[in-house]
Amino acid sequence: MKLRTVLATGVVTALAFGPSYSAQQSAPAARAPQSLQAAASTAQIIAGHPKETHLRNIRQLTYGMGENAEAYFSFDGKEIIFQSTREPYKCDQEFTMNTDGSNVRLVSTGKGRTTCGYFTPDGKRIIYASTHLGSPDCPPIADRREGYVWAIYPDFDIFSANRDGTDMKRLTNANGYDAEGTIAPDGKKIVFTSARDGDLELYDMNIDGTNQRRLTNALGYDGGAWHSQDGQWIVWRANRPKTPEEIKRYKDLFAKNLVMPAQMELWIMRADGTQQKQLTFNGAANFAPYFHPNGKQIIFASNMKDPHGGNFDLYLINRDGSGLEQITFDENFDGFPMFTNDGKTLIWESNRHGKTAGETDIFIADWVN
C-alpha cells in the first residue's frame, strides 16, 4: 500500500499513496498462470518535458488498460512486476512483464486485492501482499465520510510464490494489516509495514517469514521502506501526528482501520532500526523514496510545490537531506521511481500522455547523470 490514491481538483486519481478501492468483484475461477498480452514489444517513445534533462528515450509501457502502479525491476533489470486494475479484475492484481512491455502475465491469485509486488534477488520467487484469505472479493472502499482517508485492511498479509505465481507461501499471520514489503539486495531480509502492535510501524523478517522484529516505535504511519544497495540503510516515509488533536484523530481513524495521509516526510535509519533521522521538513506528501545506486542520493515523489494538490513530481536529494533537485516537470502525477541496479534506467508511473484524465501508466527512461 504505497501511496495509491491522490485527490486532485476534486477527482480521485488512482496512484499509490495507499490503495484506491473499487466495488466488489466476483471471485474468478481457479487460475493457471496466463499471458494477457501479445509477445511483441508495446514500448512507445514519447516526448518528455524540456526540463527533464536526466531522462532520455522515455518509453510508455502500458496504455490505459486500467490503473497501473508500483512497477519494480527484477534485480537483473530484465523484468518488471506491477499491480494493475484491469479486466476482468475489479481491483489490483499482480502482473509481470518484460521491460519492453511484452509478455504480461498474471502472477497473483486473481482474488481479493493485492499490492507491493517484488522479485527476490535470484529471480526465482516474488513477494506481494493480498487480502484473498479474508475474502475472494474486492474489499469495500474507504468511508469518505471520514474525510480523505485510506483503508488499512486487516486481511492484508504478505505471501511468497514462484515467479509464475505457483507454490504460494504465507509469510505473515499476525492480526491486522501486513503489507508494503521489499527485499534487501542480499535476499535475506524483507522490510514491511504492520499494524499488529496497535500502530503502523516498520518491521523486518527473514525471507522465509521467520524472526519478525519491530524497527520503528513512534506513533504514526511508517511505510514504503526500501534498503540501500549495500543493505546497510533503510529509507521510508512517515506521518507523525504531534498535537493532541492530530493524535486523537489518528487513533480514532486507526481504530476503524483507516488512516489519513496528511504530511508525510522522508526518514532514514540503519537496517537494524538505529540512527533514525528525518530528511525532509516541507510539510508535503513525500513518498516512494528509493536509493540511487550511486550511493549518494535518494529519489522520491512529492507535491511540495502545492501540498494540497495532486501534481506530484520526482526529486533527488542527498542522503543527508541536502541538494534538492527536481527531476520531472510534467503537470500531471509522477511517482514510484526505481533504478536498475546499474543506475542506467529509471522506471516510474505517471498520468502523462493518458487517453483519459487520471489514467496511470508505466514509463521507463535512460538515466542521464
Side-chain angles (χ1 to χ4, degrees), residues 85-292:
T85 298
R86 57 178 64 192
E87 292 298 333
Y89 309 106
K90 304 304 180 185
C91 56
D92 283 341
Q93 294 296 315
E94 296 297 318
F95 299 86
T96 59
M97 65 179 172
N98 297 332
T99 54
D100 63 359
S102 64
N103 196 29
V104 176
R105 297 179 65 86
L106 174 70
V107 293
S108 55
T109 65
K111 301 177 182 179
R113 172 179 289 278
T114 70
T115 190
C116 309
Y118 207 73
F119 288 100
T120 57
D122 62 10
K124 294 180 179 180
R125 296 184 69 83
I126 58 174
I127 64 167
Y128 63 92
S130 177
T131 66
H132 72 276
L133 292 185
S135 171
D137 297 328
C138 289
I141 62 173
D143 187 353
R144 297 297 181 184
R145 292 176 297 180
E146 296 286 355
Y148 180 56
V149 293
W150 306 337
I152 45 174
Y153 294 124
D155 287 337
F156 261 128
D157 273 302
I158 299 174
F159 298 83
S160 170
N162 287 333
R163 60 185 302 120
D164 65 358
T166 60
D167 188 34
M168 175 178 282
K169 297 178 180 179
R170 186 178 182 180
L171 301 182
T172 60
N173 57 14
N175 290 330
Y177 174 87
D178 291 297
E180 306 181 37
T182 59
I183 302 174
D186 63 5
K188 295 180 179 180
K189 290 287 187 179
I190 299 171
V191 62
F192 64 102
T193 294
S194 179
R196 65 187 62 190
D197 292 326
D199 191 20
L200 288 162
E201 301 286 359
L202 293 183
Y203 296 74
D204 71 0
M205 60 182 167
N206 295 336
I207 194 67
D208 63 359
T210 59
N211 193 28
Q212 298 183 16
R213 63 174 179 172
R214 185 168 171 176
L215 300 178
T216 58
N217 291 278
L219 183 70
Y221 183 10
D222 294 274
W226 294 81
H227 286 90
S228 58
Q229 282 78 9
D230 62 7
Q232 299 300 304
W233 296 89
I234 289 172
V235 65
W236 81 102
R237 45 116 174 124
N239 166 244
R240 299 280 172 80
K242 296 180 176 62
T243 68
E245 294 77 16
E246 290 173 345
I247 292 171
K248 182 179 185 303
R249 180 62 168 158
Y250 175 81
K251 290 182 176 180
D252 288 347
L253 288 173
F254 183 85
K256 300 175 183 178
N257 296 315
L258 298 170
V259 66
M260 182 173 289
Q263 300 173 355
M264 291 194 291
E265 304 291 357
L266 302 188
W267 289 68
I268 192 171
M269 65 180 171
R270 287 283 186 180
D272 63 1
T274 61
Q275 298 184 38
Q276 296 184 18
K277 177 185 176 182
Q278 186 173 341
L279 297 181
T280 62
F281 299 85
N282 56 36
N286 307 281
F287 79 104
Y290 186 83
F291 286 100
H292 193 298

